[in-house]
């Protein structure tokens, strides 16, 4: 069994809880002193960090939402001066503003350690060759995985996303043993491999670690059969760290949350109250080691359940089940978080009116596709084909440039989308994601 940090991953629950309490107290002090949002929020309920004497006190504190982070755009939530920040990433946030997150040198050290844990849990060692097929950029996936794999001493190939034939050539010629990307991109690689008539058994690929978007056991089965590998799930989010928050071990029976860095809670999204162990609810996370961007009781919007039973792998940290959906408006297409209203704002900006629109998310060959349907109106010169084509192209380009997604824009007949009476939902999600 491969445990990267036995001292922390397998520590007794008593010791773990003591460590969590100390780290939580330090974090609460840090945010109270340095982040005006938390100073105000704590003052409003008459809480001072010294009051917290046990972990159960955490549930008295207010939640932090994506909206709070967007309101603090870009740097108001940072708990250190910018000169101590050595890396900045950003994720979709809200339609108004992205969530901008920062890391001190120490945060980056922790992040690499956490990703090293999750890679080790899937059996990765320094003898492995890892192909990182996440987009290198503002999103956290690529850089997070990259530095964690280097920490282990594996050979890292930063192939980034796209150009799938070239990815396959790299897989083959560079003798990749471990692929990391979104499950959707793994499906795409599997499909192109088939088209190129390459037998996966002739490759050196042994395993894949997939995350960044929801997927279920059906897709896992397909990826494993088509790529002839073992596929592991891992979970994370920019606002809390990036990849490396929770990951499957070799038992693949839930994802271990690295509780010496994050305190998980599962709440009823309606009432905000804790749900019993095993019940599905919204995952709430508190960071307890982060310096630049600590978050207290951050509402992830992700639905899952908690399992506190000891895992057969020997790790003592709790597990969350696979993410079964979201309880907010965000939809995730090809690993990119999208607020439907952000697309609406783009449509308004480009067309100069607020058109009726609808988003249709679908899975074509188990790969995400987004269709944006817009009702034509007189303003769209719907009788002039050439002008329509130009409009569609402009919209597609603007969506690509702003959201980072290639969407298929379709003009539909006037009256076919009824948003006024809400009889047509803003989002139709046809993807079937069994997480059972
Ligand atoms: O997706 C970080 C990441 C990158 C995790 C690569 C794992 C691998 P964001 O772009 O901020 O960060 O998106 C975070 O993606 O709240 C979930 O809704 C979703 N998500 C991430 N991992 C999983 C997963 C990265 N394994 C949002 N299963 C999260 C289901 C996931 N959903």
């Amino acid at each position: 069994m491969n445990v990267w940090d036995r001292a922390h991953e397998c520590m007794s629950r008593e010791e773990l809880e003591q460590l969590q309490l100390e780290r939580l107290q330090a974090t609460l002090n840090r945010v109270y002193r340095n982040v005006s949002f938390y100073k105000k929020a704590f003052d409003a309920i008459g809480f001072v960090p010294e009051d917290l004497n046990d972990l159960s006190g955490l549930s008295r504190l207010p939640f932090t939402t994506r909206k709070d982070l967007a309101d603090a755009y870009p740097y108001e939530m940072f708990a250190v001066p910018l000169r101590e920040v050595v890396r900045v990433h950003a994720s979709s946030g809200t339609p108004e503003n992205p969530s901008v997150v920062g890391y001190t040198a120490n945060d980056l050290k922790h992040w690499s350690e956490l990703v090293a844990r999750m890679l080790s849990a899937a059996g990765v060692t320094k003898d492995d060759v890892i192909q990182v097929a996440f987009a290198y950029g503002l999103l956290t996936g690529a850089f997070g995985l990259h530095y964690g794999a280097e920490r282990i001493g594996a050979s890292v190939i930063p192939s980034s996303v796209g150009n799938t034939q070239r990815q396959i050539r790299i897989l083959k010629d560079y003798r990749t043993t471990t692929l990391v990307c979104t499950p959707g991109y793994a499906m795409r690689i599997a499909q192109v491999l088939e088209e190129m008539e390459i037998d996966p058994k002739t490759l050196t690929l042994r395993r894949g670690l997939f995350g960044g978007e929801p997927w279920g056991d059906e897709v896992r089965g397909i990826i494993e059969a088509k790529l002839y590998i073992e596929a592991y799930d891992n979970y994370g989010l920019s606002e809390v760290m990036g990849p490396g928050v929770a990951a499957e071990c070799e038992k693949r029976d839930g994802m271990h949350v690295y509780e010496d860095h994050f305190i998980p809670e599962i709440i009823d999204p309606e009432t905000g109250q804790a749900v019993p162990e095993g019940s599905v609810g919204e995952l709430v996370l508190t960071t307890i080691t982060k310096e630049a961007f600590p978050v207290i009781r951050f509402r992830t919007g992700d639905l899952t359940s908690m399992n506190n039973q000891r895992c057969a792998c020997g790790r003592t940290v709790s597990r969350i089940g696979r993410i079964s959906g979201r309880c907010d408006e965000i939809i995730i297409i090809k690993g990119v978080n999208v607020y439907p209203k952000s697309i609406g704002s783009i449509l308004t900006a480009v067309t100069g009116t607020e058109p009726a629109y609808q988003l249709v998310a679908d899975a074509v060959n188990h790969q995400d596709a987004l269709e944006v349907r817009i009702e034509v109106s007189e303003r769209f010169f719907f009788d002039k084909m050439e002008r329509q084509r130009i409009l569609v192209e402009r919209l597609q380009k603007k969506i690509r440039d702003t959201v980072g997604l290639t969407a298929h824009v379709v003009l539909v007949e006037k009256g076919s989308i009824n948003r006024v009476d809400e009889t047509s939902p803003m989002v139709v999600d046809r993807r079937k994601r069994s997480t059972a």
Side-chain angles (χ1 to χ4, degrees), residues 269-413:
E270 299 296 323
T271 64
Q273 298 302 311
V275 300
E277 184 188 338
S279 306
V280 172
E282 180 180 358
L283 176 65
V284 170
L285 290 166
T286 298
T287 65
I288 51 173
T289 53
K290 275 175 79 192
E291 295 176 340
F293 197 84
V295 283
I296 309 299
R297 304 195 83 205
F298 180 70
R299 292 190 64 156
T300 66
D302 292 315
L303 293 171
T304 184
S305 58
M306 190 67 95
N307 177 356
N308 299 332
Q309 302 302 307
R310 180 75 63 91
C311 178
C313 75
R315 287 176 183 79
T316 48
V317 288
S318 303
R319 284 166 285 167
I320 50 170
R322 304 188 77 185
I323 307 297
S324 58
R326 293 194 57 93
C327 55
D328 59 14
E329 303 160 51
I330 291 180
I331 49 169
I332 303 184
I333 312 275
K334 293 187 180 170
V336 178
N337 307 354
V338 183
Y339 269 96
K341 284 185 193 135
S342 310
I343 305 268
S345 312
I346 295 171
L347 304 184
T348 307
V350 172
T351 62
T353 83
E354 246 179 86
Y357 67 98
Q358 187 175 50
L359 308 187
V360 183
D362 211 343
V364 180
N365 288 329
H366 294 277
Q367 287 152 47
D368 289 349
L370 177 66
E371 184 173 285
V372 179
R373 295 184 173 168
I374 311 168
E375 250 186 30
V376 286
S377 73
E378 288 72 25
R379 282 208 51 143
F380 295 163
F381 311 102
F382 68 97
D383 52 336
K384 303 213 173 79
M385 294 299 282
E386 182 57 11
R387 291 186 112 148
Q388 269 187 22
R389 192 185 58 78
I390 292 169
L391 176 71
V392 164
E393 279 175 11
R394 273 184 62 206
L395 287 169
Q396 286 180 171
K397 178 167 187 318
K398 188 76 182 161
I399 293 171
R400 199 168 51 240
D401 293 348
T402 317
V403 188
L405 263 185
T406 305
H408 184 50
V409 174
V410 186
L411 300 181
V412 297
E413 225 171 275

Side-chain angles (χ1 to χ4, degrees), residues 104-117:
T104 63
N106 225 2
D107 292 335
L108 288 188
K109 222 187 285 165
H110 284 148
W111 192 10
S112 301
E113 281 289 319
L114 289 167
V115 173
R117 285 186 194 181

Side-chain angles (χ1 to χ4, degrees), residues 5-284:
D5 184 351
R6 192 171 288 275
H8 289 106
E9 295 177 71
C10 303
M11 79 200 306
S12 79
R13 288 300 303 185
E14 208 176 45
E15 272 179 293
L16 175 64
E17 281 168 22
Q18 184 54 37
L19 181 68
Q20 284 182 320
L21 180 59
E22 286 161 19
R23 290 180 166 178
L24 176 61
Q25 281 166 333
T27 302
L28 293 176
N29 270 303
R30 170 185 288 276
V31 298
Y32 189 68
R33 272 187 281 116
N34 301 327
V35 184
S36 64
F37 169 81
Y38 285 114
K39 166 101 175 62
K40 274 192 216 135
F42 293 176
D43 283 348
I45 56 162
F47 171 83
V48 280
E50 291 70 41
D51 287 352
L52 186 109
N53 299 315
D54 58 45
L55 288 172
S56 64
L58 180 61
S59 62
R60 279 181 50 208
L61 299 183
F63 295 114
T64 308
T65 63
R66 279 200 173 77
K67 164 105 180 37
D68 297 326
L69 304 188
D71 289 347
Y73 176 85
Y75 293 142
E76 287 300 302
M77 280 285 184
F78 283 25
V80 296
L82 261 190
R83 104 180 77 85
E84 286 177 36
V85 170
V86 297
R87 175 93 65 77
V88 172
H89 281 287
S91 169
S92 324
T94 69
E96 292 73 40
N97 284 321
S99 301
V100 180
V101 298
Y103 304 78
T104 63
N106 225 2
D107 292 335
L108 288 188
K109 222 187 285 165
H110 284 148
W111 192 10
S112 301
E113 281 289 319
L114 289 167
V115 173
R117 285 186 194 181
M118 80 182 220
L119 290 168
S120 281
V124 175
T125 69
K126 68 198 297 290
D127 295 325
D128 280 294
V129 178
I130 302 192
Q131 190 162 332
V132 180
F134 279 110
Y136 279 73
L138 278 176
L139 295 179
T140 50
F143 283 95
L145 262 309
H146 184 110
Y147 285 99
E150 281 193 356
R151 176 74 189 87
I152 287 189
S155 313
V156 183
I157 307 173
S159 66
S160 205
V161 271
N163 199 341
T164 309
Q165 295 212 357
R166 194 192 60 170
Q167 297 275 0
I168 289 171
R169 179 158 188 205
I170 294 171
L171 273 180
K172 205 159 137 266
D173 294 353
Y174 301 10
R175 297 195 294 278
T176 303
T177 62
T178 304
L179 174 67
V180 293
C181 58
T182 59
Y185 195 53
M187 287 295 295
R188 172 81 190 134
I189 290 177
Q191 185 194 4
V192 176
L193 203 63
E194 243 169 33
E195 285 163 15
M196 292 169 75
E197 295 181 359
I198 294 174
D199 178 359
K201 290 187 184 148
T202 62
L203 300 175
T204 47
L205 197 61
R206 280 203 292 274
R207 71 180 76 74
L209 286 92
F210 306 118
E213 65 184 10
W215 58 310
D217 279 345
E218 188 192 342
V219 168
R220 180 176 351 226
I222 298 172
I223 293 175
E224 291 194 331
K226 290 199 171 186
L227 290 177
Y228 200 58
I229 58 170
E230 281 198 343
Y232 295 82
D233 193 6
N234 68 88
Y235 168 84
L237 65 168
S238 328
E239 291 87 351
V240 168
M241 179 65 95
V245 173
E248 286 182 334
C249 63
E250 77 273 13
K251 303 292 174 201
R252 296 192 292 172
D253 184 17
M255 295 184 276
H256 289 282
V257 182
Y258 299 127
E259 286 178 286
D260 50 323
H261 292 265
F262 314 105
I263 301 182
E265 300 169 75
I266 307 281
I267 59 158
D268 177 332
E270 299 296 323
T271 64
Q273 298 302 311
V275 300
E277 184 188 338
S279 306
V280 172
E282 180 180 358
L283 176 65
V284 170

Side-chain angles (χ1 to χ4, degrees), residues 416-432:
S416 56
I417 301 174
N418 183 348
R419 295 278 320 133
V420 178
D421 304 324
E422 304 280 321
T423 51
S424 309
M426 186 186 284
V427 178
V428 179
D429 197 341
R430 297 200 176 128
R431 297 168 297 178
K432 196 169 74 246

